Amino acid sequence: MGKIFTVISSPIGPLTLGECGGELTHLLFDGEVPKGYAEGRSELLQRAEAQLSEYFKGKRHEFDLPLKPSGTEFQQRVWAALMDIPYGETRTYKDIAIAAGCPKGYRAVGMANHNNPISIIVPCHRVIGSGGKLTGYGGGLPVKEYLLGLERKYS
C-alpha cells in the first residue's frame, strides 16, 4: 500500500492522519499534508480516527495503533520516552533527556518534540519546562493547554 492521508475534524481543528504500509506515520495539525502522500482511506486511518474521537471524549487514555514515526536514532529514543509518560501526567525536558540517554540534551529534546510527526498519540504535549511552565508546541500553546486540561479532567 502506498502513502495515504486523510483529514479529520477534531475539537482542536483539522488533523491529518498519514499511513504507509499499514503503520501510522503522521498526525499533523491544521490540515497539513505530508509530502508525497495521496488522499485516501484505510482501515487503519479509520481506527485512528475512532481512537482519537474516544480520546477527545475522555474515554481513551492509551492508543492501540501501529506507529512508524520517521526520525533520527535520538529522536526515536525521545519519542519512545514520551510514550512512557502516563495519561494526565507531565514530564520536564530534563526528565525526557535523561530517559533518552542524553542528560544535558534538553534543547535536543525540544527539537525532537518539535519534529514529532505523530503528535497527541506520541504525547509531546505532556512535556513542560522546569517549574511547570508550558513551552512551545507544534499545535500552539492553546492546543497544548487544551490537551493537558482534557487529560487532567479525565485522569
Side-chain angles (χ1 to χ4, degrees):
M1 176 179 284
K3 297 177 176 182
I4 60 171
F5 78 91
T6 190
V7 178
I8 64 169
S9 296
S10 82
I12 56 172
L15 299 173
T16 302
L17 300 171
E19 172 189 354
C20 181
E23 296 173 300
L24 195 68
T25 58
H26 292 85
L27 191 160
L28 306 172
F29 297 104
D30 298 324
E32 180 185 352
V33 175
K35 192 172 189 170
Y37 282 62
E39 192 162 8
R41 295 291 290 169
S42 70
E43 189 236 322
L44 173 62
L45 294 178
Q46 290 172 339
R47 274 184 39 221
E49 181 176 7
Q51 289 187 22
L52 283 161
S53 177
E54 292 168 356
Y55 170 81
F56 284 115
K57 292 175 183 168
K59 296 179 179 178
R60 176 171 291 275
H61 295 189
E62 293 181 17
F63 293 92
D64 180 26
L65 300 163
L67 306 179
K68 189 167 186 174
S70 179
T72 67
E73 180 186 327
F74 177 74
Q75 288 171 330
Q76 297 288 341
R77 289 197 319 261
V78 168
W79 300 334
L82 298 178
M83 297 297 287
D84 290 336
I85 306 172
Y87 180 92
E89 295 185 21
T90 58
R91 298 292 183 270
T92 65
Y93 289 93
K94 180 179 182 180
D95 294 332
I96 300 303
I98 291 167
C102 188
K104 296 193 186 283
Y106 322 131
R107 286 194 174 148
V109 167
M111 285 308 298
N113 279 0
H114 175 76
N115 290 310
N116 174 11
I118 309 177
S119 294
I120 302 173
I121 295 171
V122 177
C124 53
H125 62 278
R126 296 181 188 154
V127 180
I128 59 174
S130 59
K133 183 177 182 197
L134 293 188
T135 56
Y137 186 62
L141 284 181
V143 169
K144 186 172 189 166
E145 288 177 45
Y146 177 89
L147 296 172
L148 291 174
L150 175 81
E151 292 185 9
R152 275 193 304 274
K153 179 178 179 182
Y154 291 107
S155 62

